[in-house]
Amino acid sequence: MLALDLLIQGLVQGAIYALVAVGLTLVYGLLRILHVAHAALFTLGGYLGVLVTNATGSFALALAVAMGVAGVAGIAVYRLAYRPLLGRSPLIALIASIGLFIASEEAFRIIFGAHGLSYVTPPLQAQIEIAPGISLSLARIAVVVLAVVLLSALGWLSLSTRTGVAWRASVSDPPIAQAFGIDIERVRHLNFFVGSALAGAAGVMVALLNNLVEPTMGAVPSYKALAIIVLGGLGNVRGTLVAALALGVVESFGTIYAGHLLDRDAIAFAFLILVLMLRPQGLLARS
Amino acid sequence: MLAVEGLRSGYGSIVAVDGVSFGVGAGETLVLVGPNGAGKSTTIMTLAGLVAPLGGRITLDGVDVTGADARARVGHGIALVPEGRRVFADLTVSENLLVGAHRLPRSALASGRARVLDLFPRLGERSRQLAGSLSGGEQQMLAIGRAIMSVPRLLLVDELSLGLMPRAVDDCYAALAALQRDGLSIVLVEQSTERALGVADAVVALDSGHVTWTGTGLEARSNPGLLSAHFA
Ligand SMILES: Nc1ncnc2c1ncn2[C@@H]1O[C@H](COP(=O)(O)OP(=O)(O)O)[C@@H](O)[C@H]1O
Ligand SMILES: [Mg+2]
């Protein structure tokens, strides 16, 4: 039973990693930029989740606002930070991205205080027995349901709509996509909106699980998501999802069975290093 | 139909094409020949709007499109079959064709697909396969089909037969002949000139970014020494 419990906890954590990392891999696929500032949108989502829930009492509204605002903020990051640097070395964009991420942490600290915020009345706290002896909070169930719904919607968008096909064509060969009339600038906006909205949703869910948002809450997801997209094979969405879930589960088991040797984040990185030594091309390498 | 006057084009400080002029009549096929590095691809990419011209004029039925970007060019009826085929490898055959028709309404898709599958029945059998898994010949068919999906007036083809098996070259030239019969205007770049001269109404030879010879297809075919003189 412990194993099942750990598996479930791992999948919950993996679902959160997946929501964050997908946006990162989408940006990498389209622009070849390591979008470190992505985690700032995760934090923004977390703050908005708490603030809007506390102000209105509606968690659903808070989730929608957080996703929408994070999405628009993601577009702003692209327009203000990345677009002016597009013709340059990707290292320049990376440095801009790191700078933006650090600045965002300070901005959250200045605006909302260093000690963070909590839900006045945390929603979705009821415990539900999902199997004999294993109960899970509604919040954890909501994380998994939300991740499945959002990622399925993304899958539908990218596989079953003309917009999605144009999006993937732009990732595959931007100039040729343009030569067939695809507006690559619109694709980039969509890409940042969708990826950032997913990160915003993840921020809301993490704020719910921890009942806390703080200026530095994006730091750990930021470097883990970077590692996950490498593990997934940079730019590969399916690989990223697999890597996110695998990392969540490994961490979950690792903290129990190796927790006396390494802490949770160290286990995560030991796993990443091990996998990359065995499969440097990522978990799901293309042929 | 297409008029190119004094075209100058290149990359940053590199001028790869300088003072190139030629015209293509409606329904005509112009073949651009020349050694490696002559500026053939640069000319084609500039016509497609993917390399910005540094000077000169490009007009299409009298409309100046010199300053139009690649997206606008496809709206003017120009479609590209690029060097190296450049199909979208992670997309299926069917999705590649859909991208070809990107600027057309959904209602135009069925007739476009029917036209492409009529030219290349093999693409129908492969429609759900990833383009990256196709053979070189099939990828070239897909690249042509993708271009046809945009319902062009002018088709730009860069290296139709390069790297293909003889059988696939035959298929691609057969398709080209069918498109000529449909009245499409074509600019064809080829290094293996003999085959290309067979379908040419007009021939332009390029070397080091300059036009070194211009003539009709008939002149080029009846005077092979003329062309070979232009290849070092
Ligand atoms: N992307 C590029 N950047 C810089 N120079 C290029 C580029 N593409 C081609 N060139 C140069 O432009 C010249 C013409 O090349 P190209 O048009 O590809 O010739 P062709 O297609 O006739 O072989 C060559 O000297 C080539 O090195
Ligand atoms: Mg070439």
Side-chain angles (χ1 to χ4, degrees):
Chain A
M1 269 316 63
L2 176 64
L4 183 59
D5 200 14
L6 288 175
L7 179 67
I8 292 169
Q9 301 299 342
L11 291 176
V12 170
Q13 188 60 46
I16 288 170
Y17 289 154
L19 286 175
V20 178
V22 159
L24 208 59
T25 217
L26 288 175
V27 170
Y28 186 84
L30 195 59
L31 299 178
R32 296 286 180 264
I33 288 175
L34 284 176
H35 176 28
V36 175
H38 186 57
L41 304 161
F42 164 86
T43 308
L44 178 64
Y47 271 91
L48 287 169
V50 171
L51 289 167
V52 175
T53 303
N54 287 350
T56 67
S58 168
F59 179 71
L61 177 67
L63 181 62
V65 169
M67 289 181 66
V69 174
V72 172
I75 291 177
V77 169
Y78 163 65
R79 296 271 293 249
L80 301 175
Y82 297 144
R83 193 164 66 180
L85 301 176
L86 277 181
R88 315 280 185 85
S89 152
L91 282 180
I92 296 179
L94 176 62
I95 291 166
S97 191
I98 293 170
L100 192 62
F101 179 57
I102 295 170
S104 77
E105 288 190 343
E106 295 310 315
F108 287 117
R109 198 188 320 278
I110 291 165
I111 298 171
F112 301 110
H115 298 299
L117 306 172
S118 295
Y119 288 98
V120 176
T121 326
L124 302 175
Q125 295 305 303
Q127 295 282 325
I128 299 210
E129 186 159 347
I130 55 163
I134 298 179
S135 60
L136 214 54
S137 72
L138 263 183
R140 282 179 196 280
I141 295 171
V143 167
V144 174
V145 170
L146 187 70
V148 169
V149 168
L150 292 177
L151 295 171
S152 306
L154 176 64
W156 172 81
L157 172 71
S158 88
L159 294 175
S160 307
T161 68
R162 286 184 85 173
T163 302
V165 173
W167 185 352
R168 286 186 289 127
S170 306
V171 171
S172 174
D173 192 331
I176 298 299
Q178 268 178 302
F180 286 100
I182 292 172
D183 184 344
I184 201 119
E185 205 52 30
R186 255 187 67 196
V187 167
R188 287 173 182 159
H189 286 172
L190 176 70
N191 192 89
F192 274 87
F193 182 87
V194 169
S196 306
L198 294 181
V204 171
M205 299 322 281
V206 167
L208 185 61
L209 295 183
N210 300 338
N211 194 19
L212 177 69
V213 289
E214 46 185 353
T216 56
M217 69 185 275
V220 170
S222 165
Y223 61 70
K224 275 196 193 156
L226 282 173
I228 285 168
I229 69 169
V230 173
L231 201 55
L234 283 163
N236 181 338
V237 174
R238 253 181 226 126
T240 296
L241 296 181
V242 170
L245 292 178
L247 183 65
V249 170
V250 166
E251 274 185 26
S252 169
F253 280 86
T255 41
I256 296 303
Y257 295 110
H260 55 292
L261 296 173
L262 297 167
D263 80 352
R264 185 183 187 94
D265 296 339
I267 290 167
F269 279 93
F271 172 65
L272 292 167
I273 291 166
L274 189 71
V275 174
L276 289 177
M277 278 167 63
L278 298 174
R279 287 187 69 82
Q281 70 277 45
L283 279 175
L284 300 187
R286 291 161 197 229
S287 51
Chain B
M1 195 254 155
L2 171 72
V4 177
E5 297 158 43
L7 186 69
R8 205 174 129 84
S9 187
Y11 313 88
S13 59
I14 302 170
V15 178
V17 166
D18 200 1
V20 166
S21 302
F22 57 82
V24 182
E28 273 185 11
T29 297
L30 179 135
V31 174
L32 261 182
V33 297
N36 208 357
K40 305 181 298 293
S41 293
T42 305
T43 304
I44 288 280
M45 294 304 256
T46 309
L47 291 177
L50 289 173
V51 174
L54 303 168
R57 245 161 69 89
I58 303 168
T59 57
L60 211 58
D61 286 333
V63 179
D64 192 328
V65 298
T66 315
D69 66 7
R71 277 183 66 219
R73 296 283 172 95
V74 68
H76 282 107
I78 299 181
L80 173 68
V81 179
E83 183 170 6
R85 309 182 268 279
R86 291 171 75 169
V87 293
F88 302 114
D90 308 331
L91 272 59
T92 64
V93 166
S94 163
E95 288 170 338
N96 270 271
L97 295 180
L98 185 64
V99 173
H102 184 74
R103 56 176 205 97
L104 299 180
R106 197 174 290 272
S107 56
L109 294 179
S111 63
R113 265 181 218 281
R115 187 177 178 201
V116 170
L117 297 189
D118 195 39
L119 279 178
F120 302 116
R122 195 118 50 100
L123 292 182
E125 298 157 25
R126 303 257 188 273
S127 71
R128 303 182 71 87
Q129 239 170 276
L130 291 184
S133 73
L134 301 180
S135 71
E138 290 165 342
Q139 290 191 9
Q140 188 64 288
M141 293 174 197
L142 181 57
I144 297 169
R146 179 178 63 180
I148 295 307
M149 287 297 287
S150 72
V151 196
R153 294 187 290 158
L154 174 66
L155 185 67
L156 308 172
V157 184
D158 196 353
E159 306 286 10
L160 182 64
S161 60
L162 191 66
L164 300 189
M165 307 282 284
R167 183 64 210 282
V169 175
D170 290 344
D171 289 344
C172 288
Y173 269 98
L176 206 69
L179 295 172
Q180 285 179 312
R181 285 195 296 276
D182 286 353
L184 204 62
S185 303
I186 299 172
V187 176
L188 171 65
V189 163
E190 276 283 31
Q191 274 189 29
S192 66
T193 49
E194 222 153 284
R195 189 77 191 251
L197 294 185
V199 301
D201 296 307
V203 176
V204 169
L206 280 184
D207 196 359
S208 310
H210 301 284
V211 175
T212 53
W213 189 84
T214 309
T216 65
L218 205 60
E219 285 167 345
R221 284 190 290 273
S222 60
N223 199 349
L226 195 68
L227 260 185
S228 55
H230 294 273
F231 290 84

